[in-house]
Amino acid sequence: MNKNLTCLAVAILCAVACKTPEKTVLPVYLDPEKPLEERVEDALSRMTLEEKVAVTHAQSKFSSAGVPRLGLPELWHTDGPHGVRPEVLWDEWDQAGWTNDSCTAFPSLVNLAATWDRDLSRLYGDCIGEEARYREKDILLGPGVNMGRTPLNGRTFEYMGEDPYLAGALVVPYVQGVQSNGVAACVKHFAVNNQETRRTATNSVVDDRTLYEIYLPAFKAAVQEGGAWAVMGSYNLYNGHFNCHNDRLLNGILKGEWGFDGVVVSDWGGCRDDDEAVTGGLDIEMGTWTNGLSGSASDSYGNYHLANPYLERLRDGRATEEVLNDKVRRVLRTIFRTGMSPEPHYGRFTSPEHFAASRRIAADGIVLLKNDGVLPLQVPEGGKLLVVGENAYKMMVVGGGSSNLKTKYEVIPLEALREAFAGKAEVVWERGYVGDVTTDYNKVVTGQDLSENRSAERLVADAVQAAEDADCIVFIGGLNKSDRQDNEGTDREDIVLPYGQDGLIEALAATGKKLVVVNISGSPCAMPWAEEVNAIVQGWYGGSESGHALADVLTGAVNPSGKLPFTMPLALSDGPLKTERQYPGIREEGETWWQEYYDEGVFIGYRWYDTRNIPVQYPFGYGLSYTTFELSNARVAKTSLAPGASQTVTVTVKNTGSAAGAEVVQLYVADTEASVPRPSKELKGFEKVYLQPGESRRITFTLTPQDLSFFDAGSHRWVAEPGEFHALVGTSSADIAADLPFTLK
Ligand code: BGC
């Protein structure tokens, strides 16, 4: 029976049973008017030991049990961060074959991060939360906020870039939007889980300062400011313990220091130990196979660490009911916040508003990296636009791992460009290279035919020949969510573009035709041909409306306003990870797990490049527009700041061009007198401002003492040391318009 109907039926039965002549008395746990904690305690007091254990582990691939006897519904979990995953069978990864589970695919989270727009993040959360609620899901397995430590991480596209402040600022409205629908956001993957290579066998060795300054803040913001109801542990180890039951991370930091009262869910198969599963802070064990990641007996959820083995421990006294009750309270809270929320939520699925939101977010995150005036595209009436590259054609919503989606439709760039130029110019496509010909993923089928008989040389020659009478060439390539090209489970091998694309771009540039390069990827790519092309656009996996979003930007229907959420380096070797012990980790003779040493400390992304003055292709926070902006009159309120006081920074931003557009004004802080090595600048504020031509706005930022602090591992607290600081106001980490010194007394 539908779980909501079950609840209703039980509620009515109880109501009838308890009816007095005066009024109907509901049991406390069923009374939506009673405070959450009273409902939780009441429900807990009615549960048997077996019922309590049953709610702490999976009962199917994507659900965990409720308490049917009491009318407490199951919890239904779903991937993922970019849309609601298609239904799989109860105990199989195979598709259930539903015909009504094709969702709206939203842009990948890195695309959302590139919007630098808190309102769009809220819109994203609202929409995906509505889709999840409509599909009767209680826990949405996302968003992901692991940091971009290496551009090689296969899941970079699922995360929000390389900066903890940016990711923290954007995760909060996303979580709030999702949860406003009575769906728990499950923030993942907690924590220091920054590579896919040997992700289930690698111990992250990271010092406390680095942990607290770089890898925890976005999670903390999600929990404390966003009020996240669920957190997912990660596959890797930290401190020698698996993170799905890592006492320090989960009991010490998440539940202890941050006061998280929600539920900790394991990553699928990430629970690895009977003892620690009980004591390490895990509340619900979800899984891939029988027992952690191994074994494949069917319907064997009883074998899970938190199932029969747990029950045995409780019965013979090796585990206490007190610890179990804490887990159950958290599960109950989640049930009362979601499926049994006092407010009714119905959700919406694949509504026109969702597709419109998806298109807007996708477009607003597209980053214009270079433009000599060729964009927006101007093709003469009756002219020819040559589109080259597999990514103009290949559908990208499928693939990538657990964020794989089945969408109602997906607009490819070629189709959108043809639509945009219909009746005005001819749009011709040449493939140029063969990347990934797969068209189905986990039995989600795109229906495209990507087979190709031509040789690599022929493909390049055909593209070059087609350019002969073209007015302009738009190359659309990059990565594609296949193995080692932005995909869960595998890391990339380099940041060089695969499939000979560099050579193809150079051949197209050599034709002398105007050439726009669109790089579609979820992670940084090298662009050795940057000088030879007229324009460069960084696109992302944009979801159902990705083609429209890209065409909107290329044609000027949307003025680009995205900014890079990570640094685009010139070469992988320029980055902070220099040794094998840093990445992908080393294993000593006789050891079971690989050790990965975070020797670079807090110096990742622009914190590394800027501090060391290492040139990059495009800096963090960078992105152009079809209009121009000017920052002026930047001021700090106090040149001498009292300890514990906040600083106010103001600046005027003006649209000095002739098109409406948006600029992201960024505030960085530099601590030039410190007893520990600090990055040359750190992002501590940003504001995206939409302005008409000639319009200006004064922006105010507040810097709190926390914004000036570093984490002092010895005293385990944040410390703002007296001395000189600089407030740096600019439009990227490298384009600083004003340097405002002040002294902290
Ligand atoms: C991934 C998670 C995902 C889960 C369920 C795991 O392999 O790491 O991100 O939510 O599977 O599909």
Side-chain angles (χ1 to χ4, degrees), residues 59-60 90-91 296-302:
Q59 60 167 5
S60 77
W90 181 260
D91 189 37
S296 60
S298 57
D299 248 331
S300 47
Y301 298 97

Side-chain angles (χ1 to χ4, degrees), residues 3-4 7-8 29-36 39 71-75 133 137-138 178-184 229 331-346:
K3 62 185 169 168
N4 291 333
C7 287
L8 192 66
Y29 79 97
L30 285 176
D31 186 346
E33 310 224 315
K34 287 281 188 286
L36 175 68
R39 297 178 79 189
L72 294 172
E74 301 155 340
L75 284 173
R133 176 40 64 219
K137 305 301 180 194
D138 306 298
V178 170
Q179 296 190 166
S180 69
N181 291 286
V183 174
W229 294 333
V331 175
L332 289 170
R333 255 175 230 133
T334 312
I335 292 175
F336 291 131
R337 283 167 168 161
T338 59
M340 289 182 80
S341 154
E343 295 150 46
H345 299 281
Y346 304 105

Side-chain angles (χ1 to χ4, degrees), residues 61-62 78-81 85 93 141-142 155 158-159 188-189 193 196 199 232 235 267-268 288 402-403 488:
K61 285 277 167 272
F62 278 103
T78 182
D79 283 303
R85 186 174 174 150
W93 286 101
L141 305 174
R155 299 187 85 169
E158 286 188 67
Y159 300 138
K188 65 192 189 182
H189 305 89
N193 172 215
E196 290 299 287
R199 63 178 177 171
M232 183 190 288
Y235 281 134
D267 200 344
W268 268 231
T288 299
S402 59
S403 63
E488 178 180 339

